Amino acid sequence: RPLRRPRPSASPPRTRDDALRLLELLVALARLHAAEGDGDSTERCARRARALGNQLFGDGSLEASDVCTALLPACAEVRPALAVDLAAAALLPRLRTLGLRHEATASSHRNLGLALLAAGEWEDAIGEYEEALQIERALHGDDAAAVRHAVDVLTAVRRRAAAGRNEAAASEHLAPHRLSVP
């Protein structure tokens, strides 16, 4: 039996700058693994990045929320359930800190809706897009370009949900949908 070399253990970053660089690398690695279709490696990198972000910035902080948001595009592709968790984790600090009438809160609702679509949770996704639309209306009024865009997106999501439900009924399982987080 060949001798197994002990695997070098990853030592914790020594400085905050080192930790920030590691965080950037973990997010980039998660994206790379997702592009390669490697869901397990994507999930490992995403979970480690989220934990490091919570350690650096504080669990539930806006900065930790930004880490979750940065991981969404990668996870939505290969681990939709993890993307839903990340999007929900990103939304809560924004609701708590910024409140309901803030563009970043509307963006987080859209991101959660997108993650829910990737996970095949159509009705919940529509609910999140409707929340985002209400915030946009409160911020900008009915005639603003942002509101018209939000209405167009919600209409497209409703169509996609209907098509997805029809597809699911026909085939008894959902085909994966490729999504990108704005």
Side-chain angles (χ1 to χ4, degrees), residues 99-111:
L100 286 172
R101 292 187 61 157
H102 197 281
E103 187 61 42
T105 304
S107 177
S108 288
H109 277 291
R110 283 190 300 273
N111 287 341

Side-chain angles (χ1 to χ4, degrees), residues 15 42 46 58 69 82 84 88 97 101 109 111 127 129 133 140 145 151 156-157:
T15 67
T42 301
T69 300
L82 178 58
V84 170
T97 306
R101 292 187 61 157
H109 277 291
N111 287 341
Y129 278 101
L133 176 59
H140 306 293
V151 168
V157 167

Side-chain angles (χ1 to χ4, degrees), residues 23 27-28 30-31 63-75 86 90 94 111 181:
L23 182 59
V27 171
R31 290 177 178 162
E63 294 86 356
S65 171
D66 291 341
V67 171
C68 291
T69 300
L71 293 163
L72 283 174
C75 294
L86 290 168
R94 290 186 174 138
N111 287 341
V181 178

Side-chain angles (χ1 to χ4, degrees), residues 164-179:
R165 284 190 299 267
N166 292 339
E167 178 183 322
S171 67
E172 295 185 8
H173 72 281
L174 296 174
H177 296 278
R178 297 186 59 82
L179 299 172

Side-chain angles (χ1 to χ4, degrees), residues 48-65:
R48 187 155 181 220
R50 182 178 180 191
L52 183 58
N54 287 341
Q55 180 185 351
L56 279 169
F57 307 119
D59 191 11
S61 68
L62 288 176
E63 294 86 356
S65 171

